[in-house]
């Protein structure tokens, strides 16, 4: 969908990204878009009989798209790429599923090319509050500020309600959480 004012939209005749192979046979969803060096990098959840994983696509015009394939394997989602390299590497936040021990939490990863990811580490765990005791995950691409990377994250808690939080990550070491809001920035007030 396209808009010149953010209020009135014209919807394209067909989706930009739609299922094309067995890794997406049950659908594609939950996209996050990061603008880097004149291109839009789109991470999205690919759902199949093998569960859900994260794929990457690239576009310059939102008319054509180049698919790069799966970049985080099952079960991993909520992948958001930072809008610039840090320390010579691309940086991403992601959320591997936790079966058994722990709760789904926010992890950090680095890449030389946005395809191969490593140096994974858990940087933020769901806290025992009514807003996030079930799980947390990354949202939009982090915003660079003089005080650090401002990350908008979500938490799910009581009655599966989603709330939005702010987290500040260190500029040079984005795996270090500088501050994390105790209260949601935004939460539903109506059923």
């Amino acid at each position: 969908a396209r808009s010149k004012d953010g209020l009135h939209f014209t919807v394209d005749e067909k989706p930009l990204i739609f299922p094309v192979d067995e890794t997406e046979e049950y659908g594609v969803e939950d996209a996050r878009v990061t603008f880097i060096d004149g291109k839009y990098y789109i991470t999205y959840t690919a759902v199949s009989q093998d569960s859900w994983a994260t794929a990457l696509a690239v576009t310059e015009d939102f008319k054509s798209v180049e698919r790069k394939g799966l970049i985080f394997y099952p079960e991993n989602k909520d992948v958001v790429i930072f809008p610039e390299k840090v320390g010579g590497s691309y940086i991403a936040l992601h959320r591997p599923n936790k079966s058994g021990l722990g709760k789904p939490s926010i992890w950090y990863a680095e890449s030389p090319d946005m395809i191969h990811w490593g140096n994974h580490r858990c940087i933020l765990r769901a806290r025992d509050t009514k807003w996030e005791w079930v799980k947390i995950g990354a949202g939009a691409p982090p915003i660079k500020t003089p005080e650090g990377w401002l990350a908008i994250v979500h938490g799910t808690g009581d009655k599966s309600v989603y709330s939005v939080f702010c987290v500040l990550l260190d500029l040079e070491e984005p795996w270090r959480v500088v501050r994390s809001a105790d209260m949601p920035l935004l939460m539903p007030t109506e059923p």
Side-chain angles (χ1 to χ4, degrees):
R2 302 170 196 277
S3 173
K4 292 187 186 230
D5 62 8
L7 298 173
H8 304 91
F9 288 85
T10 302
V11 179
D12 289 350
E13 290 183 26
K14 66 177 190 170
L16 177 68
I17 298 174
F18 49 89
V20 296
D21 64 26
E22 68 278 354
T23 67
E24 302 172 345
E25 67 184 322
Y26 294 167
V28 295
E29 61 187 29
D30 210 8
R32 282 135 166 92
V33 181
T34 304
F35 185 71
I36 304 172
D37 297 331
K39 295 181 180 179
Y40 297 92
Y41 293 85
I42 306 167
T43 58
Y44 63 94
T45 303
V47 186
S48 74
Q49 62 182 313
D50 297 316
S51 195
W52 34 267
T54 299
L56 178 67
V58 183
T59 185
E60 292 182 33
D61 56 10
F62 286 94
K63 293 178 183 172
S64 63
V65 65
E66 178 186 0
R67 292 168 178 270
K68 299 292 189 176
L70 295 181
I71 59 170
F72 286 87
Y73 296 95
E75 293 178 326
N76 204 316
K77 64 186 310 186
D78 292 349
V79 175
V80 62
I81 298 172
F82 284 53
E84 65 182 64
K85 288 182 175 181
V86 177
S89 295
Y90 293 103
I91 305 296
L93 301 177
H94 64 102
R95 189 185 77 202
N97 193 34
K98 296 205 178 164
S99 299
L101 296 174
K103 298 175 184 175
S105 302
I106 297 174
W107 285 59
Y108 164 94
E110 299 174 353
S111 173
D113 57 9
M114 284 195 248
I115 305 297
H116 306 94
W117 294 89
N119 200 17
H120 300 273
R121 56 181 98 178
C122 183
I123 65 168
L124 201 61
R125 289 182 174 83
R127 297 173 288 191
D128 192 21
T129 70
K130 69 178 186 175
W131 302 288
E132 60 182 271
W133 67 269
V134 175
K135 63 185 173 184
I136 59 174
I143 301 163
K144 189 175 187 180
T145 75
E147 294 187 27
W149 290 100
L150 178 63
I152 306 299
V153 302
H154 65 270
T156 308
D158 290 352
K159 299 180 184 175
S160 296
V161 172
Y162 278 74
S163 298
V164 176
F165 290 84
C166 294
V167 175
L168 192 65
L169 305 174
D170 186 81
L171 277 176
E172 304 299 320
E173 299 176 333
W175 60 88
R176 276 194 328 105
V177 176
V178 176
R179 285 192 292 272
S180 181
D182 290 328
M183 298 287 294
L185 174 68
L186 186 65
M187 62 185 159
T189 57
E190 301 295 328

